[in-house]
Amino acid sequence: MDMSAKTIIGKEEWCGLPELGLPAIKARIDSGAKTSSLHAFNIHSFEEEGRKYVHFDIHPIQNNRKIIQSCRGLVVDRRDVRSSSGEKERRHVIKTPVKIGEDVWEIEVTLTNRDAMGYRMLLGREAMKGRVLIDPDASFCLGTLEDRDAEKYYSVRPADKSGLKIALLASNPALYSNKRIMEAGEERGHEMRFINIRQSYMNISALSPEVHYRGGELLENIDAVIPRIKPSMTFYGCAVARQFQSIGAFCLNDSTSVTSSRDKLRSLQLLSEHGIPMPTTGFANSPVDTSEIIKMVGGAPLVIKLLEGTQGKGVVLAETNKAAESVINAFKSLQANILVQEFIKEAQGKDIRCFVIDGKVVGSIQREAAAGDFRANLHLGGTASAVKITAEERRIAVQAAKAMGLKVAGVDIIRSKDGPKVLEINSSPGLEGIEDITHKDVAGMMIECIERNLRRRRRAA
Ligand code: ADP
């Protein structure tokens, strides 16, 4: 074989996908990966004259979400691909010519809505076979291009006139969930605004309630607000959300519902009013009742929870009645509010997080406690994996979110011998675990929920 005739390429190169309208895209060349992939979103398949096509959008330039190219490709397969995190994902496979240097040949590419290692495109060994030689220590053997020069190949799609003005009300723009919500909104043509709760202030008056931001800017004409309020900001964050509601913005989660979801006892009372199953729970304030409460919830082993606790902190397992009594009395002497709950031993340290949007479970994951712990919280070293939930679990999760008045909720369910029981409801559920494991664009579904509700509201008006 004549090796010298082949082009040598490095671990990253600029290439083109001419039939997709992508003249310049920076690709990672990785012979360790079998298949090639393209980072795409808004992926929809359709049929035309008996052939299957897929329509998708892509941000061809890294770290630039303003430039969006819409592409259409011929689908040749659906394939299960295992991502670097080990999860299986079913992807569309399209066939399209690739141009590398002066050579053009057809390759198969899978479409996925996650970045491939920070690159918009990953070229695997199947696509490169027999065509080029790869020097894994080199980069851009066929010439470099600055990102801003590559941008000139594309036009910035004009902002969609039907786009909404959406405010994300939160504290930390660097959080995965917040970044994803901002990009999902922008991808759908909306004007996204990150509003830091702490830096907003309000003018509460009967005639013209207002919300102001940093340096005095008046926040007007906001169509919708996505509250992502951390527990320590509940009081002020909900007040700001409420103010936005009073000036006509649609709030993805109603501020009153967010407030009540933050109170564990209030949440359980609401669930119980709606007949939603939950572990037998007791609550009392005076130390005199300690042994009565223990008896009421069926005796040890039982779980004692601090009402103000989050992420599993302040959740204690007492194996004997004696231990339970000491722990309860200790908490009480610290004036801490607690609840006492039957211990669901058969759950074996597992619980299920159901992500509910607009009355539907859009994804669910199972969380399993680290060895030696009974609490499945990921912050405590628990691990998450894919899980299939039953129709009953689905129904209970949806009912629980509805009972709390939440359009978006993370409903934690535990599997007991008497069926599924709701442990807790989170009004700002994290997106990272659920998107990572289910490969679903959950942030996008939150934006679509806003679009749907505003359409409904406008029709009703
Ligand atoms: P937090 O709000 O701090 O996460 P949770 O009530 O969700 O508190 O409890 C944390 C974890 O402890 C749960 O995810 C679950 O794995 C475990 N757990 C909580 N309550 C019980 C219970 N009654 N029986 C068994 N395990 C429980």
Side-chain angles (χ1 to χ4, degrees), residues 166-172 175 177-178 181 192-197 222-231 233-234 236-245 249-259 261-262 355 405-409 426-431 446-447 449-450:
I166 303 177
L168 171 58
L169 195 59
S171 299
N172 181 359
L175 277 188
S177 300
N178 293 336
I181 291 170
M192 299 299 294
R193 195 61 209 273
F194 185 91
I195 303 288
N196 192 321
I197 296 170
I222 304 272
D223 296 296
V225 175
I226 304 176
R228 299 285 300 185
I229 301 166
K230 60 179 178 184
M233 284 302 278
T234 303
Y236 193 64
C238 286
V240 178
R242 204 156 51 231
Q243 184 87 351
F244 272 115
Q245 280 176 262
F250 167 73
C251 200
L252 185 53
N253 267 340
D254 185 272
S255 56
T256 330
S257 305
V258 176
T259 308
S261 77
R262 285 293 156 77
F355 206 108
L406 294 169
K407 289 229 181 266
V408 173
N426 193 320
S427 56
S428 292
L431 296 178
M446 289 171 66
I447 302 293
C449 174
I450 293 178

Side-chain angles (χ1 to χ4, degrees), residues 33 35 64 164 356 388 429:
T35 30
N64 182 332
L164 301 167
V356 180
K388 214 173 146 43

Side-chain angles (χ1 to χ4, degrees), residues 315-333:
V315 178
V316 185
L317 172 63
E319 312 253 14
T320 62
N321 285 343
K322 200 97 212 104
E325 212 162 309
S326 320
V327 175
I328 294 171
N329 289 337
F331 275 146
K332 281 184 178 166
S333 71

Side-chain angles (χ1 to χ4, degrees), residues 129-196:
K129 213 155 102 197
R131 294 287 181 169
V132 289
L133 293 174
I134 302 166
D135 176 356
D137 295 322
S139 276
F140 307 118
C141 299
L142 305 174
T144 47
L145 198 59
E146 291 291 322
D147 281 348
R148 56 171 186 280
D149 291 323
E151 283 169 19
K152 293 182 191 139
Y153 286 96
Y154 300 95
S155 55
V156 177
R157 191 192 278 179
D160 188 345
K161 289 276 182 299
S162 65
L164 301 167
K165 220 165 148 179
I166 303 177
L168 171 58
L169 195 59
S171 299
N172 181 359
L175 277 188
Y176 175 93
S177 300
N178 293 336
K179 285 202 290 203
R180 285 284 300 129
I181 291 170
M182 294 297 285
E183 79 184 38
E186 280 165 11
E187 279 169 10
R188 281 164 182 75
H190 303 301
E191 186 185 330
M192 299 299 294
R193 195 61 209 273
F194 185 91
I195 303 288
N196 192 321

Side-chain angles (χ1 to χ4, degrees), residues 7-266:
T7 314
I8 296 176
I9 65 169
K11 63 175 184 290
E12 44 186 347
E13 294 292 342
W14 284 93
C15 59
L17 298 164
E19 281 191 8
L20 299 178
L22 302 168
I25 186 160
K26 190 160 64 183
R28 165 97 168 102
I29 322 285
D30 182 5
S31 54
K34 187 164 168 254
T35 30
S36 303
S37 58
L38 200 55
H39 169 54
F41 56 93
N42 290 338
I43 305 173
H44 301 288
S45 58
F46 62 97
E47 251 177 62
E48 215 175 82
E49 292 169 356
R51 308 228 286 178
K52 256 219 147 96
Y53 292 90
V54 67
H55 192 279
F56 59 92
D57 290 336
I58 177 168
H59 298 124
I61 311 291
Q62 233 161 287
N63 304 321
N64 182 332
R65 301 195 174 274
K66 297 271 179 298
I67 295 178
I68 302 175
Q69 187 75 22
S70 293
C71 313
R72 169 191 149 120
L74 181 67
V75 178
V76 292
D77 198 7
R78 292 290 304 254
R79 200 178 295 161
D80 286 331
V81 177
R82 206 170 278 280
S83 70
S84 49
S85 62
E87 290 299 326
K88 260 209 299 202
E89 183 197 8
R90 182 131 259 227
R91 296 183 190 170
H92 291 282
V93 184
I94 58 165
K95 203 170 200 164
T96 193
V98 65
K99 183 170 189 289
I100 297 181
E102 292 309 313
D103 299 325
V104 181
W105 68 93
E106 283 227 309
I107 60 164
E108 289 191 350
V109 199
T110 65
L111 301 178
T112 172
N113 70 358
R114 307 247 46 88
D115 270 272
M117 304 155 73
Y119 292 81
R120 299 304 195 214
M121 186 176 191
L122 181 126
L123 284 167
R125 61 177 177 274
E126 265 182 2
M128 298 290 123
K129 213 155 102 197
R131 294 287 181 169
V132 289
L133 293 174
I134 302 166
D135 176 356
D137 295 322
S139 276
F140 307 118
C141 299
L142 305 174
T144 47
L145 198 59
E146 291 291 322
D147 281 348
R148 56 171 186 280
D149 291 323
E151 283 169 19
K152 293 182 191 139
Y153 286 96
Y154 300 95
S155 55
V156 177
R157 191 192 278 179
D160 188 345
K161 289 276 182 299
S162 65
L164 301 167
K165 220 165 148 179
I166 303 177
L168 171 58
L169 195 59
S171 299
N172 181 359
L175 277 188
Y176 175 93
S177 300
N178 293 336
K179 285 202 290 203
R180 285 284 300 129
I181 291 170
M182 294 297 285
E183 79 184 38
E186 280 165 11
E187 279 169 10
R188 281 164 182 75
H190 303 301
E191 186 185 330
M192 299 299 294
R193 195 61 209 273
F194 185 91
I195 303 288
N196 192 321
I197 296 170
R198 256 181 208 288
Q199 297 178 18
S200 342
Y201 51 99
M202 300 165 277
N203 170 2
I204 305 174
S205 73
L207 285 177
S208 61
E210 291 170 343
V211 183
H212 291 261
Y213 196 53
R214 290 208 259 256
E217 181 197 355
L218 179 63
L219 294 172
E220 282 178 305
N221 306 324
I222 304 272
D223 296 296
V225 175
I226 304 176
R228 299 285 300 185
I229 301 166
K230 60 179 178 184
S232 60
M233 284 302 278
T234 303
F235 179 74
Y236 193 64
C238 286
V240 178
R242 204 156 51 231
Q243 184 87 351
F244 272 115
Q245 280 176 262
S246 73
I247 56 174
F250 167 73
C251 200
L252 185 53
N253 267 340
D254 185 272
S255 56
T256 330
S257 305
V258 176
T259 308
S260 48
S261 77
R262 285 293 156 77
D263 177 340
K264 280 189 199 226
L265 193 61
R266 171 103 190 89

Side-chain angles (χ1 to χ4, degrees), residues 264 279-280 302-303 305-306 309-315 317 339 341-345 347-352 367 369 373-377 380 412 414 423-424 426:
K264 280 189 199 226
T280 309
L302 45 82
V303 176
K305 299 185 185 182
L306 269 177
T310 56
Q311 303 178 344
K313 288 173 235 148
V315 178
L317 172 63
L339 56 82
Q341 207 163 57
E342 72 173 300
F343 175 53
I344 313 290
K345 186 162 185 266
Q348 298 181 312
K350 292 181 193 149
D351 72 5
I352 294 170
R367 302 180 301 185
D373 204 327
F374 73 100
R375 299 164 301 174
N377 304 70
L380 297 175
D412 295 343
I414 193 162
L423 274 185
E424 183 170 49
N426 193 320

